[in-house]
Amino acid sequence: MTSRELVAHPHGPRPYAGAAVFGGVIWACGQVPARRDGSVPEEIDEQVRVALDNLEDTLRAAGGSLRTLLKLTVFLADLGEFDAYHQAYLDRFAGIDLPPRTTVQVAGFRGTKRIEIDAVAAVGSEETNRHED
């Protein structure tokens, strides 16, 4: 039987794991657009980029990458921002096969966050085209 491995959050101590790995699959915690210093960008396109950068950090810490994503669920505070979110998403995934994705609107988030990304990925060593800040 394979045991579950909990992976620490890559941005420092949190009251939850950054991801769980079981049977070669990574279950990442929800990724929000908070930078390491706690600040949150104002515009939705930048929030998408930061959330995806955070996701990439979490996947790498767990042994995966954006290229090993199996499924994304994206929660938006306002589906009226879908076009801007979608374009930033496509820009960030340029050159990477897009994983299955579900996007839904939620009632709201804490503070100024307007997006959260839930992800499942495979453990793998494929290289990513990391966007550096």
Side-chain angles (χ1 to χ4, degrees):
M1 178 173 176
T2 305
S3 64
R4 174 187 72 153
E5 174 191 351
L6 296 179
V7 178
H9 197 285
H11 296 172
R14 300 286 194 278
Y16 51 86
V21 180
F22 183 82
V25 178
I26 302 165
W27 305 85
C29 68
Q31 303 296 311
V32 295
R35 297 181 181 113
R36 287 180 184 256
D37 67 3
S39 66
V40 176
E42 189 173 317
E43 299 299 321
I44 188 65
D45 59 337
E46 187 60 21
Q47 287 199 17
V48 172
R49 284 189 279 279
V50 171
L52 288 171
D53 286 347
N54 291 342
L55 174 60
E56 184 173 21
D57 290 345
T58 297
L59 293 176
R60 285 180 180 225
S65 72
L66 294 179
R67 291 183 183 274
T68 66
L69 282 166
L70 300 173
K71 173 76 165 82
L72 291 173
T73 302
V74 179
F75 304 94
L76 290 178
D78 181 359
L79 278 178
E81 295 182 316
F82 183 88
D83 290 340
Y85 138 73
H86 183 65
Q87 188 57 57
Y89 176 88
L90 292 176
D91 291 347
R92 185 63 176 81
F93 279 91
I96 299 174
D97 291 334
L98 295 174
R101 176 185 76 179
T102 300
T103 304
V104 296
Q105 180 171 311
V106 298
F109 298 101
R110 292 182 314 181
T112 58
K113 298 174 191 86
R114 300 195 323 258
I115 185 171
E116 185 167 349
I117 301 173
D118 184 47
V120 178
V123 173
S125 60
E126 297 180 58
E127 292 296 315
T128 61
N129 296 320
R130 171 100 170 123
H131 179 296
E132 297 295 336
D133 291 334

